[in-house]
Amino acid sequence: MADSPPFTLAVVGAGPRGVGVLERLGANAAELLGGRRLEVHLIDPFPPGPGRVWRYDQSPLLRMNSMPEDVTMYTDESVKMSGPVRPGPTLLDWARKVRDGGLDAEVPPDVVAELTALDPFDFPTRRLQSAYLTWVYRHVVEGLPDGVDVVEHAARAVGVDGYTVSLSDGTAVRADAVVFTVGHLDAEPDDRERELVSFAARHGLAYYPAGYTADVDYSAIAPGETVLVRGFGLAFVDLMLLLTEGRGGRFEELACGGLRYHPSGAEPVLHVGSRRGVPYHAKIGYRPRGKPARLPRFFDAYAIDALAGAPGALDFRTDVWPLIAKELAWGYYTELFTGHPDRVRLDFVVFADTFADLDWDSPGMHDLVARAVPAEADRLDLDRIDRPMAGRVFGTPEEFGKELREYVEGDLARRASQEFSADLGAFSALLSVYSQLPALVQKGRLDAASQVSDMDGWFHGFFSYYASGPPPRRLEELLALHDAGIVSFAGAEMAVTAERDAFVASSASFPGTVEARTLVEARLPGPSVTRAADGLLRQLRDSGELAEETVADPVSGARLPSGRIHTRVSDSRLLDGTGQAHPHRFAVGPHTSARSAAAFTRPRTNALSFRQNDAVAREILALVNPPS
């Protein structure tokens, strides 16, 4: 095979996921490559490694919502895969080694001080993460075995026709195989957003549909202007910083604690709300005090098999959520009992044995918790966590604002003090549950409507709200901006209507409305192949070579679109409009049928993205050197 032409692979997307696939190709090459050369073409207009989201060229104010010890691009012994483990440094390990001279890395001057002072409980800037991902990419390329070469293309893939990938710079790549390493899909406005776009155009208003905040130009928003913001998650946090400190304002540390904001005069006034009416929970800033819980305990492979074997279709809320909730409670109470034994009345072994035999939310479970945990504040209330403002009505916006401030201050206290480490137990359990859900989806037993609305919708939102919130500092800044009159709170169940010549906001939390001439959707768009903004995906969709996943109801056979790129979960091959798997096209990412999480992940968590990277790399190498 030495005389054969090289096998060419086009990787469309050279961000962390593309680099992860490249790393797995190198790791598996010794076993599977054979004598033929593999030429990998990395296609991305943004720098390889960081890609678009983590590129260096963005505001230095923007930070990750992960601590550096929880960020790795490398596999470890926990990853259940066929290929070999190739360990490497976490972001924290990398920073320490670079600082101590143990690694050679080009670090931009403006992040050197941050790297030098980096602490395990810090939340790094995205620019520092960019430097780490750049080093990872170079380290992966340098470690590729003989026979694997990389060609970089700083361009966008604009078309695929047979074995030819056309690029935005006019060149073409002949590719024996293509892997699309897609992140969150950009999407054109949906029906309701298009109505608002049209309304804004007719009345001289400004409307910003859902999008990646760092890529949206908000310069037209005028100083002092009232802006309605719908969404209280990470996209809002980025928006808040870009329109305040990003416009010259300044936060001052107060001797008594907290922050004071000094406006520049260029800020608008942000009136923010959402369905919950509260911001995402701050990230936890401590380690567990008690013994590690066995996770997953109640939502494991055996439980998923039992669910799959039940008659009829599964309803997520009725059949699946109780097991998930019990898992969260198991993590929570394990940490409470073993880390804070002075706050419980039963021996943990006794509690655990009884807990295991009881159904979640049953009278027996409520009785056990009441007997074992005397303080109501120490008991896990998932309904209250999910909708803390539900059913609460205040007389004025000021009364609601006071209550919300107290809520945020309480959240900051819980996330900073190890006295509340039971929250970390629930957090760890939630992570374990999230990694199990793709296995449940593969069983095909979920009611289609329930899967789309409850699992992909409500539960994914709950996960993000509880486990994927901002650094605590961001909520401190939110309170300071509220003090300064720059941010006001719109309440829960925020509704926006287009009336006369303005956007009008109301909520279920207090009477009255707020009018504004600008409305911002502070969120990423949901997955949608139908509304894909990327020209390449549209071309493949329109030709029938790429399809939107539909979820089949196991009883009625009815199908509902999920918005995701339809892939065969077992090997990540693209499925076309007829359901046929393409022999040499693949797609990996969170908006595919596999529903994987981020491209990088916490160490020692058997990350699904790493398992998928390994599996697709081995499939590609089998094309390079077919088994005899």
Side-chain angles (χ1 to χ4, degrees), residues 312-315 444-451 550-560:
L314 298 172
D315 180 86
R445 300 305 304 161
L446 276 169
D447 172 84
S450 181
Q451 179 174 325
T550 58
V551 180
D553 187 279
V555 176
S556 69
R559 306 191 73 91
L560 291 177

Side-chain angles (χ1 to χ4, degrees), residues 43-387:
I43 302 168
D44 200 318
F46 297 98
R52 170 191 170 190
V53 172
W54 302 102
R55 66 190 186 273
Y56 176 81
D57 184 21
Q58 59 184 302
S59 171
L61 297 174
L62 301 180
R63 292 184 175 270
M64 306 181 71
N65 69 327
S66 297
M67 291 179 281
E69 64 181 2
D70 291 335
V71 175
T72 188
M73 282 285 291
Y74 292 96
T75 57
D76 56 45
E77 67 283 353
S78 74
V79 183
K80 297 177 181 178
M81 59 185 178
S82 298
V85 170
R86 293 288 177 87
T90 65
L91 173 55
L92 180 64
D93 294 335
W94 170 81
R96 287 172 169 170
K97 290 178 180 178
V98 171
R99 179 191 63 198
D100 298 339
L103 285 178
D104 183 22
E106 295 180 12
V107 179
D110 70 334
V111 297
V112 169
E114 179 189 1
L115 181 147
T116 302
L118 193 66
D119 180 89
F121 291 107
D122 286 341
F123 292 87
T125 63
R126 294 182 195 169
R127 285 185 165 187
L128 183 60
Q129 172 71 345
S130 180
Y132 169 64
L133 293 173
T134 298
W135 178 87
V136 168
Y137 168 66
R138 292 173 179 166
H139 180 249
V140 167
V141 171
E142 290 169 1
L144 291 174
D146 291 340
V148 181
D149 300 310
V150 174
V151 181
E152 298 175 10
H153 298 271
R156 190 178 303 278
V158 295
V160 177
D161 183 8
Y163 290 91
T164 301
V165 181
S166 301
L167 308 186
S168 58
D169 62 5
T171 62
V173 174
R174 187 198 179 281
D176 296 299
V178 181
V179 57
F180 301 91
T181 57
V182 295
H184 291 273
L185 303 181
D186 289 335
E188 300 293 345
D190 61 21
D191 290 344
R192 177 54 179 158
E193 288 177 327
R194 283 196 295 270
E195 290 176 4
L196 293 173
V197 168
S198 177
F199 177 82
R202 291 197 308 270
H203 296 278
L205 310 178
Y207 176 65
Y208 296 84
Y212 181 56
T213 305
D215 286 344
V216 179
D217 181 6
Y218 297 106
S219 60
I221 296 178
E225 179 184 358
T226 298
V227 177
L228 301 181
V229 183
R230 189 156 47 183
F232 221 157
L234 297 180
F236 165 72
V237 169
D238 287 351
L239 176 76
M240 177 185 82
L241 266 291
L242 292 174
L243 294 180
T244 56
E245 193 174 8
R247 290 192 170 189
R250 179 173 59 86
F251 290 100
E252 175 192 2
E253 302 272 356
L254 299 178
C256 58
L259 302 172
R260 176 183 292 125
Y261 182 70
H262 298 273
S264 67
E267 303 90 346
V269 176
L270 305 178
H271 192 70
V272 57
S274 65
R275 282 175 295 179
R276 289 188 181 88
V278 299
Y280 281 13
H281 285 284
K283 278 297 183 72
I284 295 172
Y286 47 76
R287 293 187 174 89
R289 176 182 285 183
K291 297 177 181 178
R294 170 190 162 190
L295 298 171
R297 172 70 172 82
F298 300 101
F299 193 68
D300 56 9
Y302 298 105
I304 290 173
D305 286 341
L307 285 169
L314 298 172
D315 180 86
F316 185 85
R317 293 268 195 168
T318 302
D319 302 311
V320 182
W321 170 246
L323 290 174
I324 292 176
K326 189 172 181 179
E327 190 75 53
L328 303 189
W330 170 249
Y332 179 91
Y333 287 120
T334 297
E335 174 62 21
L336 181 68
F337 274 76
T338 63
H340 308 276
D342 56 315
R343 285 153 55 184
V344 298
R345 285 180 177 156
L346 285 182
D347 180 81
F348 179 58
V349 174
V350 175
F351 175 86
D353 286 345
T354 308
F355 181 92
D357 293 333
L358 295 170
D359 292 333
W360 176 251
D361 211 25
S362 65
M365 179 70 78
H366 288 294
D367 178 67
L368 172 65
V369 172
R371 287 188 292 113
V373 184
E376 189 171 342
D378 281 337
R379 300 171 190 167
L380 183 66
D381 185 341
L382 291 172
D383 290 336
R384 179 182 54 81
I385 289 172
D386 184 33
R387 289 288 190 269

Side-chain angles (χ1 to χ4, degrees), residues 492-523:
E493 303 300 334
M494 180 187 187
V496 178
T497 56
E499 301 179 16
R500 299 179 301 279
D501 58 352
F503 298 113
V504 181
S506 61
S507 82
S509 297
F510 51 82
T513 60
V514 175
E515 293 189 4
R517 299 184 62 79
T518 298
L519 171 61
V520 178
E521 306 285 5
R523 57 181 173 83

Side-chain angles (χ1 to χ4, degrees), residues 447-486:
D447 172 84
S450 181
Q451 179 174 325
V452 172
S453 64
D454 294 331
M455 192 194 79
D456 287 343
W458 167 76
F459 179 73
H460 176 73
F462 175 80
F463 173 86
S464 300
Y465 159 71
Y466 188 79
S468 190
R473 165 85 180 198
R474 294 311 189 213
L475 295 190
E476 295 174 2
E477 291 165 346
L478 173 69
L479 295 179
L481 290 167
H482 181 252
D483 278 338
I486 304 297

